[in-house]
Amino acid sequence: MRLTDLIPSYAGPVNPEITGLTADSRRVRPGFLFAALPGVKADGAVYIQDAIAKGAAAILTDISSSCAAGGGVTGRGPSSSNVQNALPPGPSPASRRGEVAMVSAENPRHALAQAAARFYGRQPDYVAAVTGTNGKTSVAHFTRQLWQKQGLKAASIGTLGVHADGIEKPGSLTTPDTVALHEQLAELAGAGITHLVMEASSHGLDQYRLDGMDVAAAGFTNLTLDHLDYHGTMEAYRAAKRRLFSDILRADGTAVLNADVPESEDFREAAGQGTVIDYGRMAKWLRLETLTPRPDGQDMTFTLQGKTCSVRLRLVGGFMAMNVLCALGFVIASLRGDMHAIHDLVPYLTELNGAPGRLQLVPGHNNRAVYVDYAHTPDALENVLKALRPHAQGQLLVVAGCGGDRDRSKRPVMGRIARDFADVTIITDDNPRSEDPAAIRAAMLEGAGPDALEIGDRREAIQAAVSLMKDGDVLVIAGKGHEQGQIVGGTTWPFDDVAEAGAAIRETGTMKHKGLAV
């Protein structure tokens, strides 16, 4: 594929065949387009010489970097002498002289995303994307299940990786980098996947990773305090998420919006003239009427455009019921008004299973319930504790921590929420990274108060919490969810909250069997 096929505005003197794309100079191969992107920690422009030395056929930069490396105005390539200025010192192969195309763009991230979409060329027929501070993973998980129950070949992409029938790829980023994302879209389409739902993180939206996607439905769950270490302000955080509706969602697409939060009006406006499906207690389309907690789930009553529906969910928590309705909204959007098929969806809701690490019940503790949840923001922790309170016949216990090298403002807030909504609070470590773990705990304890217990070692904290439980008690271990490691300094140590809780439950059971006090 020629460079002009990928970037039609380019009008330079050379038009090389492009064999691949990357924004990582370490992955450059002969014939690649290297995108020298400005980054949070480093500017990709400093790697231009390395990329050319490895055989890059084209360099995509912003205007200032392109000029510094010998580039010209947007859409134009430099002269041969200017390209030589960007080459590493020493002899250069004849094939490199004057043949490196320099492409400058006002927004190189957007240009790279569009180029990646053209390079890989294929996407599943129907794509939905969900954004919001909390709930994205569960919404994606439920949407994929509902499509699969309809007999469709469906996949999800997000925090848990890529999941479809016969495809399981663990992941670490909520939204993959744009080249990897478009490569994955093409692979899924090639594997016969027709329906895709993906999580759209604020980082991914701010960095234009989803640009070039054909998004037919965009969903919004909520907006609460998080990621201010990256965005700086809540206004910038909201603006990043708004891009999903204003810039990514196609003009005739569907916005699936939480009617109970004020930001939805702004996102509704951003979506333009497309269809809107709202959900929640104030919704017109999917109105939540009642929730009745049960030991192993809850009964939900809602109206679907005026028709009352009742279902028994295997899931606990009002926010989890909202996530179900958001997923239902996505599937309704994909049915394009087929009301008979839409009402046939309702019985499938009773079969939905929760996502790993999202209010995941740890088995083995009779008359006591231990849950693991990814809640690592103030709003998420408050929602989890409120959700579990009706299920606790005795005390509600929480083990919580805060990550290092992340937003510090939420630490005392998280401690206060634990104090206000749980009966027993244990403050522990949660990925301290390069920070002093004791300092992070101290900040949380400012809000949690003198009655909170401080146990830095997360394994010991979980063991202590389980040992404190009595019949009728409920414990939630918050913060890590599905994660399989504890990041201390620059090392990630193996750690699994579910496994640790299971081990603590078994140990407690053994002690009870021996007649020892627990």
Side-chain angles (χ1 to χ4, degrees), residues 202 206 223-241 407 409:
S202 59
D206 185 63
L223 188 75
T224 61
L225 184 66
D226 199 17
H227 298 310
L228 295 192
D229 54 308
Y230 175 87
H231 294 286
T233 66
M234 286 298 292
E235 289 74 18
Y237 182 37
R238 182 180 67 250
K241 292 189 175 298
D407 183 6
S409 66

Side-chain angles (χ1 to χ4, degrees), residues 113-139:
Q114 295 290 340
R118 296 183 181 109
F119 184 83
Y120 289 105
R122 299 187 66 187
Q123 300 180 22
D125 297 336
Y126 192 92
V127 177
V130 58
T131 195
T133 305
N134 305 306
K136 296 185 296 295
T137 298
S138 292
V139 170

Side-chain angles (χ1 to χ4, degrees), residues 179-248:
V179 176
L181 173 58
H182 284 282
E183 181 179 18
Q184 187 63 70
L185 294 176
E187 288 181 6
L188 291 172
I193 297 298
T194 60
H195 289 65
L196 170 70
V197 56
M198 71 171 294
E199 300 176 47
S201 69
S202 59
H203 292 70
L205 289 163
D206 185 63
Q207 296 170 11
Y208 299 89
R209 296 183 210 162
L210 283 80
D211 288 46
M213 289 186 63
D214 182 22
V215 174
F220 172 63
T221 57
N222 50 58
L223 188 75
T224 61
L225 184 66
D226 199 17
H227 298 310
L228 295 192
D229 54 308
Y230 175 87
H231 294 286
T233 66
M234 286 298 292
E235 289 74 18
Y237 182 37
R238 182 180 67 250
K241 292 189 175 298
R242 192 180 191 273
R243 285 200 68 245
L244 178 61
F245 299 87
S246 61
D247 297 4
I248 312 294

Side-chain angles (χ1 to χ4, degrees), residues 276-337:
V276 173
I277 295 175
D278 60 357
Y279 66 95
R281 294 191 179 276
M282 299 175 64
K284 297 178 181 178
W285 245 101
L286 294 166
R287 182 186 292 272
L288 177 60
E289 301 290 353
T290 64
L291 288 173
T292 304
R294 295 182 294 104
D296 58 347
Q298 57 191 325
D299 295 326
M300 176 175 71
T301 301
F302 66 99
T303 55
L304 172 55
Q305 282 205 316
K307 180 179 179 180
T308 301
C309 306
S310 298
V311 294
R312 173 158 290 188
L313 300 176
R314 299 174 179 175
L315 312 157
V316 297
F319 66 91
M320 201 61 81
M322 289 286 282
N323 293 337
V324 168
L325 292 178
C326 183
L328 180 58
F330 271 150
V331 180
I332 288 172
S334 69
L335 290 171
R336 296 180 173 87

Side-chain angles (χ1 to χ4, degrees), residues 312-376:
R312 173 158 290 188
L313 300 176
R314 299 174 179 175
L315 312 157
V316 297
F319 66 91
M320 201 61 81
M322 289 286 282
N323 293 337
V324 168
L325 292 178
C326 183
L328 180 58
F330 271 150
V331 180
I332 288 172
S334 69
L335 290 171
R336 296 180 173 87
D338 184 344
M339 293 306 298
H340 180 74
I342 288 171
H343 286 288
D344 285 346
L345 285 172
V346 175
Y348 293 137
L349 302 182
T350 64
E351 304 173 21
L352 292 176
N353 295 313
R358 273 62 178 178
L359 277 179
Q360 182 175 351
L361 180 64
V362 182
H365 215 346
N366 295 331
N367 302 318
R368 309 171 193 186
V370 178
Y371 290 90
V372 168
D373 193 82
Y374 191 52
H376 59 283

